[in-house]
């Protein structure tokens, strides 16, 4: 993990502690301390990104309170031994279709929805291949995320197309992968192995 990634993780953990503490605090003194902790989290992010602390605090206020890690889901779609990948709009790199799980849907449903939104095809999640901790897979995200990867079946008659958040789609062989987005560099090759049954599923990051 790079220094920048580690600082983002520290800021996110501080934010979670501050939000949880403020929720359960029963006096003004503790609430003030947790407000200070939230401010420190914002200061770290502001310093890393060279922008005003107030801007970061405004983003914190717009977003959900951070008490626990986010959960996300990704779809692993295979055709003739090749995996379906999307090229992300934000960094121009390739990844499995996926995103944050929305309230009211199952983990598997979120993988199916993200696949539909990002590639235009409809699929059915049939098997949980693994659960991955963003901190351990080089995701370079500001937030702590648990991402599930679902083996997803798609009919051969469907042709993937780029969606609003993607600039390209395609099927890629294991030995000819494109430039992968951070976090997918290690995961995509492992998912190939999991899909073949080379490793026990579902995969999970072992305790250290």
């Amino acid at each position: 993990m790079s220094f920048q990634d580690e600082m983002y993780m520290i800021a996110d953990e501080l934010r979670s502690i501050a939000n949880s503490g403020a929720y359960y605090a029963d006096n003004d003194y503790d609430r003030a301390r947790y407000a200070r902790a939230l401010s420190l989290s914002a200061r770290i992010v502001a310093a890393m990104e060279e922008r005003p602390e107030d801007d970061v605090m405004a983003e914190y206020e717009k977003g959900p309170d951070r008490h626990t890690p986010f959960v996300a889901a990704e779809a692993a779609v295979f055709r003739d031994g090749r995996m379906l990948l999307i090229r992300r709009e934000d960094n121009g790199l390739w990844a499995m279709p996926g995103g944050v799980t929305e309230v009211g849907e199952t983990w598997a449903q979120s993988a199916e929805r993200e696949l539909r939104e990002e590639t235009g095809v409809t699929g059915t999640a049939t098997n949980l291949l693994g659960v991955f901790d963003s901190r351990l897979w080089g995701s370079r995200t500001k937030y702590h995320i648990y991402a599930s990867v679902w083996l997803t079946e798609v009919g051969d008659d469907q042709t993937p197309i780029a969606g609003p958040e993607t600039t390209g789609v395609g099927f890629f062989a294991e030995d000819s992968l494109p430039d992968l987005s951070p976090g997918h560099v290690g995961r995509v090759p492992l998912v190939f192995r999991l899909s073949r049954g080379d490793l026990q599923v579902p995969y999970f990051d072992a305790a250290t």
Side-chain angles (χ1 to χ4, degrees):
M1 183 182 295
S2 70
F3 173 77
Q4 185 179 42
D5 294 340
E6 177 124 14
M7 293 304 294
Y8 278 134
M9 290 297 100
I10 291 171
D12 192 43
E13 189 169 345
L14 264 177
R15 183 182 178 188
S16 175
I17 292 170
N19 286 330
S20 295
Y23 181 83
Y24 291 107
D26 58 4
N27 62 76
D28 289 340
Y29 297 106
D30 284 343
R31 279 187 280 271
R33 293 187 181 96
Y34 288 120
R36 176 65 174 165
L38 187 63
S39 177
L40 290 172
S41 171
R43 282 179 60 189
I44 292 172
V45 174
M48 297 291 291
E49 299 179 355
E50 298 183 346
R51 60 193 181 108
E53 179 186 338
D54 288 346
D55 289 356
V56 180
M57 287 296 293
E59 291 177 1
Y60 282 4
E61 291 170 0
K62 289 179 182 177
D65 287 347
R66 293 287 290 107
H67 295 280
T68 62
F70 285 116
V71 293
E74 297 167 344
V77 177
F78 293 90
R79 182 175 291 174
D80 299 325
R82 298 178 299 159
M83 183 190 293
L84 176 61
L85 299 174
I86 56 97
R87 187 166 57 204
R88 294 170 54 133
E89 184 179 42
D90 57 355
N91 62 13
L93 300 175
W94 293 80
M96 289 177 284
V100 175
T101 299
E102 295 182 354
V103 173
E105 64 185 3
T106 67
W107 229 356
Q109 286 173 335
S110 64
E112 296 170 353
R113 173 182 53 75
E114 290 289 346
L115 174 67
R116 186 170 59 253
E117 291 176 353
E118 296 186 345
T119 70
V121 301
T122 301
T124 301
T126 59
N127 196 17
L128 175 63
L129 295 180
V131 179
F132 299 83
D133 187 325
S134 65
R135 300 170 305 159
L136 306 180
W137 289 89
S139 295
R140 296 186 185 176
T141 174
K142 300 176 186 177
Y143 311 110
H144 187 187
I145 300 173
Y146 288 125
S148 59
V149 176
W150 297 82
L151 184 64
T152 306
E153 301 296 333
V154 172
D156 291 339
D157 58 336
Q158 297 189 71
T159 301
I161 58 173
E165 299 178 357
T166 60
T167 59
V169 294
F171 284 92
F172 295 88
E174 189 173 5
D175 60 358
S176 59
L177 294 171
D179 291 333
L180 295 170
S181 185
H184 289 254
V185 173
R187 281 217 311 277
V188 166
L190 182 61
V191 170
F192 268 101
R193 297 181 63 194
L194 291 167
S195 72
R196 291 195 301 265
D198 293 349
L199 301 171
Q200 183 176 344
V201 297
Y203 168 88
F204 59 90
D205 297 310
T208 57

